[in-house]
Amino acid sequence: MIFGRRRSRNPLVLALARHALLVAILVVILYPLLWMVGASFRPSNEAFGTLSVLPGNLTTENYVEGWSFGNLNFSRFFLNSVVITLLAVVGNVVACSMAAYAFARLTFPFKKTMFALMLGTMLLPYHVTLVPQYVLFNELAWINTILPLVVPKFLATDAFFIFLMVQFIRTLPHELDDAARMDGCGHIGIFRRIVLPLSIPALGTTALFTFISTWNDFLGPLLYLVRPETWTVAQGLNGFLDATGESAYGPLFAMATLSLAPIVGFFLVAQRLLIEGIATSGLK
Amino acid sequence: MTAGTATPVAPPVPAPVAARTSRRTHEAIAAYGFLSPWIAGMLLLTVGPMVYSLYLSFTRYNLMTPAQWVGFDNYVRMFTADPRYLASVSVTLRYVAISVPLLLVVSLLVAMLLNKGMTFLAGYRAAFYLPSLIASSVAIAVLWRQVFGQDGIVNEVLALVGIEGGSWIGNPRTALSTLVVLHVWSFGSTMIIFLAGLRQVPKEYYEAAAVDGAGAVRRFVHITLPMLTPLIFFNLLLSTVNAFQAFTPAYVISGGEGGPLDSTLFYTLYLYQRGFANLEMGYASAMAWMLVVVLALFTAGLFASARFWVHYGDER
């Protein structure tokens, strides 16, 4: 009976109540982020002790101060992060799409076994290869270079993206391959001229998620990039915290805001692609 | 048999077979070409290292002197002579057991709120989703230190209603909860998967149930939940596996120590400390293998339980 009565209520009131609830949840969720951006633009003497997200006296001194703070050099950190991230994106897109084409379109011995192996590595916690990979890269004298962070991407170690692209390529009509073959295309031609151009949504999803996870990555750089001039932005922020404790929150928040900017920027441009990427593939 | 009785046109058998074989061989060669980066990565960076780490887990090895075989010593030491190991297990299990169910419930509730022919749906979806992209970043961990610190905004909000809070991160009794909150804060990606699932539930089911007089709770229990079980299964598996491997927030918030009093000593953080701060590569490898075993057992258990509670549409 209770539910019967509830259903007969004014739908407009219900809709408004729902919106009010959602907005309330959103405010709680996004408030800390907005507060941080606000604090990063506030002069240091009025930075804290306020709940306002508005800067009041707008200033960029925190950004100037944070950009080169003590021996922390964020020009360097950003450059390092950009180089590592771009190479990782290229590596993942190229290597994973090549493997995906073979799994989705070609027949070859041991295909099923290899595919199962590939799926198996998706659930494997990467910590089990962490120590031996470190030993290997240490033997190769790759410590303090970007190679341990970039080379694995060119060897398609992120099996999830192979899987994502296999699923996508399987939906492309085979007639296109046959037509291309009639026109004298080999497998490389079919891959480059037919499959890759049609797979742009899957390649884009892969590129974006690789970008975000590489940009955010902390453990990898922490292990391999020991010298401060090789640090990434994430390490720079952590170094900031180590160096100042909690005393320089203004500049720290300025750099934290800048470090999130590329991700939020890409998100605003490509949110549809990202959201559909997770909705259909379960990517997180 | 004379030449005259021979069929003028030989049945076209041998040549095409050869062509087919060569085409098949050709395709296999091409396939292995396309797969070569992945095969190299698989052997050099996954399978090889796994075998090597299994070996290392039975040794004492500090990178400088050769690995020394110690049998099961590392494994025995974990459970009998290393209270910090047991502390890290307890911290991680509590973290997983609290944050994963909370995350799933919040995601499902918000997904259901959004699944009612909403206006601004795309905007809401995007806004809820944003935190999950950045939750594991150092920037957010840095922010969290302030938010739940002594002078943080949580305490300022509490002060408005006259409650005086201390440092949530500095207090061993509450430090882990701040990390749980951070994990739940990133519910957006899970929510989007639920939302996609909710939109697949045929409207007729709800209409039929409403005609039969089923209320909102009954419709939820008898229609929504069963229809969503495949996605609950999927999200539970993925969220748990992810939660077991959480690292960055705990590292940054506790300054790499897992403190105060080991209250945020996540399993992976302790593994890092042992392996890379203390250079106990053998012990760290043994810890990694314990994690593999636990996750494998969890996954196997979840899959085994699935036939009792996961309903796929085509079984009806």
Side-chain angles (χ1 to χ4, degrees):
Chain A
M1 270 340 269
I2 301 167
F3 296 118
R5 243 186 293 134
R6 204 172 271 177
R7 231 178 299 132
S8 63
R9 270 192 203 154
N10 187 340
L12 183 68
V13 175
L14 269 183
L16 281 178
R18 207 156 35 225
H19 279 288
L21 187 56
L22 284 165
V23 170
I25 301 172
L26 262 187
V27 167
V28 172
I29 286 172
L30 296 183
Y31 175 71
L33 276 180
L34 297 173
W35 182 88
M36 178 173 81
V37 177
S40 75
F41 286 107
R42 231 175 270 145
S44 38
N45 59 337
E46 48 190 85
F48 303 103
T50 171
L51 286 172
S52 164
V53 299
L54 297 172
N57 294 320
L58 200 78
T59 172
T60 52
E61 71 179 49
N62 290 324
Y63 286 84
V64 177
E65 199 182 322
W67 191 261
S68 48
F69 188 94
N71 49 11
L72 300 173
N73 174 357
F74 273 87
S75 315
R76 195 64 204 245
F77 302 154
F78 270 93
L79 183 68
N80 294 338
S81 277
V82 167
V83 169
I84 291 169
T85 306
L86 290 184
L87 286 172
V89 167
V90 171
N92 248 355
V93 167
V94 170
C96 293
S97 64
M98 283 170 61
Y101 174 71
F103 280 129
R105 278 299 209 252
L106 304 176
T107 36
F108 53 91
F110 307 114
K111 179 172 168 173
K112 281 204 172 129
T113 319
M114 288 198 204
F115 193 67
L117 204 60
M118 197 260 306
L119 293 182
T121 60
M122 274 168 43
L123 279 177
L124 193 74
Y126 66 89
H127 300 90
V128 72
T129 55
L130 205 62
V131 169
Q133 280 187 9
Y134 183 86
V135 174
L136 173 70
F137 295 141
N138 185 46
E139 290 291 321
L140 294 170
W142 284 6
I143 308 296
N144 283 316
T145 73
I146 62 174
L147 295 172
L149 303 173
V150 166
V151 170
K153 308 288 178 182
F154 282 88
L155 299 180
T157 45
D158 286 343
F160 185 83
F161 294 117
I162 304 178
F163 180 66
L164 176 94
M165 284 194 242
V166 167
Q167 298 296 78
F168 189 88
I169 294 172
R170 275 182 181 157
T171 64
L172 302 175
H174 276 269
E175 288 77 14
L176 295 169
D177 303 24
D178 297 336
R181 196 168 291 124
M182 293 294 170
D183 293 343
C185 262
H187 293 294
I188 295 175
I190 296 172
F191 174 65
R192 271 188 39 209
R193 290 163 204 259
I194 311 286
V195 172
L196 275 192
L198 290 173
S199 304
I200 283 179
L203 299 179
T205 308
T206 300
L208 270 168
F209 278 102
T210 306
F211 181 94
I212 291 166
S213 64
T214 313
W215 188 268
N216 279 339
D217 185 25
F218 178 63
L219 180 57
L222 182 68
L223 290 182
Y224 295 115
L225 306 177
V226 185
R227 286 210 316 266
E229 60 269 27
T230 63
W231 280 3
T232 61
V233 176
Q235 282 171 289
L237 283 175
N238 186 58
F240 214 124
L241 207 57
D242 281 349
T244 66
E246 323 214 329
S247 61
Y249 258 131
L252 177 59
F253 283 156
M255 292 307 106
T257 304
L258 279 187
S259 81
L260 294 177
I263 294 179
V264 177
F266 273 115
F267 171 72
L268 292 178
V269 176
Q271 35 134 329
R272 265 192 86 84
L273 190 60
L274 286 166
I275 288 173
E276 267 148 38
I278 16 172
T280 51
S281 67
L283 212 152
K284 290 205 223 185
Chain B
M1 215 198 276
T2 64
T5 59
T7 33
V9 182
V13 178
V17 163
R20 224 181 296 150
T21 346
S22 91
R23 196 181 139 186
R24 206 177 287 164
T25 318
H26 185 75
E27 189 164 313
I29 292 170
Y32 280 106
F34 279 106
L35 282 173
S36 53
W38 175 77
I39 292 173
M42 192 75 193
L43 294 176
L44 296 174
L45 297 175
T46 306
V47 176
M50 278 181 71
V51 174
Y52 188 49
S53 92
L54 188 60
Y55 161 73
L56 280 184
S57 77
F58 295 106
T59 67
R60 194 173 299 138
Y61 181 47
N62 62 6
L63 283 182
M64 268 75 83
T65 47
Q68 184 193 344
W69 185 266
V70 295
F72 281 94
D73 274 12
N74 290 326
Y75 293 95
V76 173
R77 184 178 144 208
M78 272 182 217
F79 293 103
T80 57
D82 187 355
R84 293 195 80 203
Y85 176 81
L86 297 177
S88 77
V89 169
S90 151
V91 164
T92 309
L93 289 179
R94 269 182 293 147
Y95 175 74
V96 170
I98 300 167
S99 71
V100 171
L102 259 179
L103 177 87
L104 293 188
V105 169
V106 172
S107 331
L108 184 54
L109 286 179
V110 175
M112 286 175 62
L113 277 172
L114 283 176
N115 186 40
K116 290 282 168 81
M118 292 285 292
T119 37
F120 316 121
L121 176 67
Y124 278 122
R125 246 184 4 170
F128 281 118
Y129 174 53
L130 177 66
S132 43
L133 287 180
I134 53 180
S136 67
S137 69
V138 174
I140 294 304
V142 160
L143 173 61
W144 233 246
R145 270 177 74 114
Q146 203 286 333
V147 168
F148 287 97
Q150 181 84 53
D151 307 315
I153 53 182
V154 165
N155 280 344
E156 283 185 39
V157 171
L158 289 177
L160 294 180
V161 290
I163 300 174
E164 195 189 332
S167 167
W168 302 85
I169 279 167
N171 180 345
R173 289 174 56 199
T174 51
L176 186 61
S177 321
T178 65
L179 290 161
V180 170
V181 173
L182 177 52
H183 191 63
V184 177
W185 187 68
S186 71
F187 71 87
S189 56
T190 315
M191 184 273 286
I192 282 168
I193 295 172
F194 276 138
L195 187 58
L198 284 172
R199 317 203 105 199
Q200 311 268 312
V201 181
K203 285 217 167 42
E204 295 78 38
Y205 289 11
Y206 291 114
E207 283 157 14
V211 168
D212 292 345
V217 172
R218 286 179 67 97
R219 280 178 308 199
F220 175 73
V221 172
H222 292 288
I223 302 173
T224 312
L225 269 190
M227 293 293 287
L228 280 186
T229 46
L231 289 183
I232 295 173
F233 176 79
F234 177 83
N235 279 333
L236 179 63
L237 179 67
L238 225 60
S239 303
T240 308
V241 170
N242 282 339
F244 264 109
Q245 301 180 49
F247 175 81
T248 305
Y251 181 97
V252 175
I253 287 175
S254 71
E257 299 298 323
L261 292 178
D262 289 347
S263 59
T264 61
L265 187 67
F266 282 16
Y267 196 89
T268 55
L269 183 50
Y270 190 52
L271 191 156
Y272 168 83
Q273 287 184 1
R274 281 290 176 195
F276 301 96
N278 299 357
L279 292 182
E280 294 178 63
M281 295 297 184
Y283 196 68
S285 299
M287 280 189 67
W289 274 97
M290 284 310 299
L291 184 64
V292 172
V293 169
V294 168
L295 285 181
L297 287 178
F298 168 78
T299 309
L302 196 62
F303 272 97
S305 78
R307 61 198 184 94
F308 299 109
W309 64 275
V310 178
H311 310 284
Y312 291 98
D314 48 10
E315 285 174 336
R316 266 175 293 119

